[in-house]
Amino acid sequence: MNPAPIPEFMRRAIALATENVRSGAGGPFGAVIVHEGRVIAEGANRVTQENDPTAHAEVRAIRAACRELGVFSLRGCEIYTSCEPCPMCLSAIYWARMDRIWYGNSSADAARVRFDDAFLYREMALPAAERSVPASMLLHDEAWESFQVWLDTPNKILY
Amino acid sequence: MNPAPIPEFMRRAIALATENVRSGAGGPFGAVIVHEGRVIAEGANRVTQENDPTAHAEVRAIRAACRELGVFSLRGCEIYTSCEPCPMCLSAIYWARMDRIWYGNSSADAARVRFDDAFLYREMALPAAERSVPASMLLHDEAWESFQVWLDTPNKILY
């Protein structure tokens, strides 16, 4: 992997973001995923157009890259995103085992244009009991059974 | 919205989780979304089967619920999930504007069966420079242009 960024990949992510606004397709966010020096997938925000609150640029690019490569791990890949990932997208990048993130706008910039990224980062860092969306445990002993079945299952596919 | 949980909804989420392992479809995670006292969508983990690292139970249930209702906001909905949401799913719940979370297993339980949820929560709470996946800003001035276009666009759909 090349440790230096390739500015043209970021320009492509930014162009996706800008075009996405101009076309009315969604918010000002675009991302590309690079593998071995080549763009293998692109994504732009489609939350409103697809009625999918998870359809952020990075999540869509990750899904597309995994489809392209036929894998569920993007180890060895980098993401160029026009804005610093929100916690959902950052976590998706971790789950996809990606190597590196390059971003254009910051989460603070996103907050300036009234996206909730900075708020979400604050919420994630709070103890669960202090978050604004209440969350409570229910039927813990019964729920553990599904984990016990997982533990007892041989030859499962780990991820 | 009923402030008290309905145990049968959690039992359904747990059943989805357990069945998901037994069938070999994915990890031990299931979720249901409830609107006005009725289950409107279900989801189970399909990361390995669908080659999609974002295909967690909660994300899949949110997508299904939005499709069902034809909306990108699930305000007024609750989620019952067999395990406390990871940061990706928790953020998705915030982006979907959901009202409440009921969970069975905790993130600590998930860590005991070797899922990375607790690690991810620690990473989210770190300053970006201290996280294990490196992230760097690139072409900030050019990236801001996509936000400026957003600011300058009238009649955009906010989310």
Side-chain angles (χ1 to χ4, degrees):
Chain A
M1 179 164 317
N2 193 329
I6 310 292
E8 281 316 306
F9 295 154
M10 180 60 80
R11 291 204 174 92
R12 177 62 188 154
I14 295 167
L16 286 165
T18 302
E19 172 55 24
N20 206 49
V21 179
R22 290 198 201 282
S23 69
F29 304 98
V32 303
I33 291 176
V34 173
H35 179 61
E36 296 180 349
R38 187 173 69 86
V39 172
I40 57 163
E42 299 184 339
N45 180 288
R46 290 289 192 281
V47 168
T48 53
Q49 192 176 62
E50 297 190 357
N51 280 331
D52 180 356
T54 74
H56 285 200
E58 298 94 325
V59 164
R60 293 184 74 245
I62 287 169
R63 285 185 204 143
C66 287
R67 272 197 306 275
E68 174 70 20
L69 299 180
V71 296
F72 54 83
S73 163
L74 295 175
R75 222 179 283 276
C77 293
E78 299 183 297
I79 190 164
Y80 288 73
T81 174
S82 67
C83 183
E84 193 172 2
C86 82
M88 178 178 73
C89 294
L90 182 62
S91 301
I93 289 165
Y94 274 82
W95 285 120
R97 318 296 182 195
M98 300 186 74
D99 288 29
R100 211 194 195 301
I101 301 162
W102 302 100
Y103 63 90
N105 292 301
S106 67
S107 291
D109 293 325
R112 285 171 59 200
V113 294
R114 305 201 180 270
F115 288 98
D116 283 344
D117 302 42
F119 165 73
L120 275 186
Y121 273 107
R122 287 195 301 275
E123 286 280 310
M124 294 299 118
L126 290 174
E130 296 173 26
R131 294 189 191 124
S132 65
V133 178
S136 312
M137 185 178 271
L138 184 67
L139 303 185
H140 178 261
D141 290 353
E142 294 181 42
W144 177 262
E145 285 302 306
S146 60
F147 278 178
Q148 191 62 51
V149 172
W150 176 256
L151 290 173
D152 294 344
T153 298
N155 305 322
K156 53 191 173 267
I157 304 176
L158 301 174
Y159 60 92
Chain B
M1 179 166 316
N2 193 329
I6 310 291
E8 282 315 306
F9 295 154
M10 181 60 80
R11 291 203 174 92
R12 177 62 188 153
I14 295 167
L16 286 166
T18 302
E19 171 56 24
N20 206 49
V21 179
R22 291 199 201 281
S23 69
F29 303 98
V32 304
I33 291 176
V34 172
H35 180 60
E36 297 180 349
R38 189 172 68 88
V39 172
I40 57 164
E42 299 183 338
N45 180 289
R46 290 289 191 283
V47 168
T48 53
Q49 192 175 62
E50 296 191 357
N51 280 332
D52 180 355
T54 74
H56 285 199
E58 298 94 325
V59 164
R60 293 185 74 245
I62 288 169
R63 284 185 205 141
C66 288
R67 272 198 306 275
E68 174 70 19
L69 299 180
V71 296
F72 55 82
S73 163
L74 296 175
R75 222 178 284 274
C77 294
E78 300 183 297
I79 190 164
Y80 288 73
T81 173
S82 68
C83 183
E84 193 172 3
C86 81
M88 178 178 74
C89 294
L90 182 63
S91 302
I93 288 164
Y94 274 82
W95 284 120
R97 318 296 181 195
M98 301 186 73
D99 288 29
R100 215 200 190 297
I101 301 163
W102 302 100
Y103 63 90
N105 292 302
S106 68
S107 291
D109 293 326
R112 286 170 60 200
V113 294
R114 304 199 180 272
F115 288 99
D116 283 345
D117 302 43
F119 165 72
L120 276 186
Y121 273 107
R122 287 195 300 276
E123 285 280 312
M124 293 300 117
L126 290 174
E130 295 173 26
R131 294 190 191 123
S132 65
V133 177
S136 312
M137 184 176 270
L138 184 67
L139 303 185
H140 177 260
D141 291 353
E142 293 180 44
W144 177 262
E145 284 303 306
S146 60
F147 278 178
Q148 191 61 52
V149 172
W150 176 257
L151 290 173
D152 294 344
T153 298
N155 304 321
K156 53 191 174 265
I157 303 176
L158 300 174
Y159 60 92

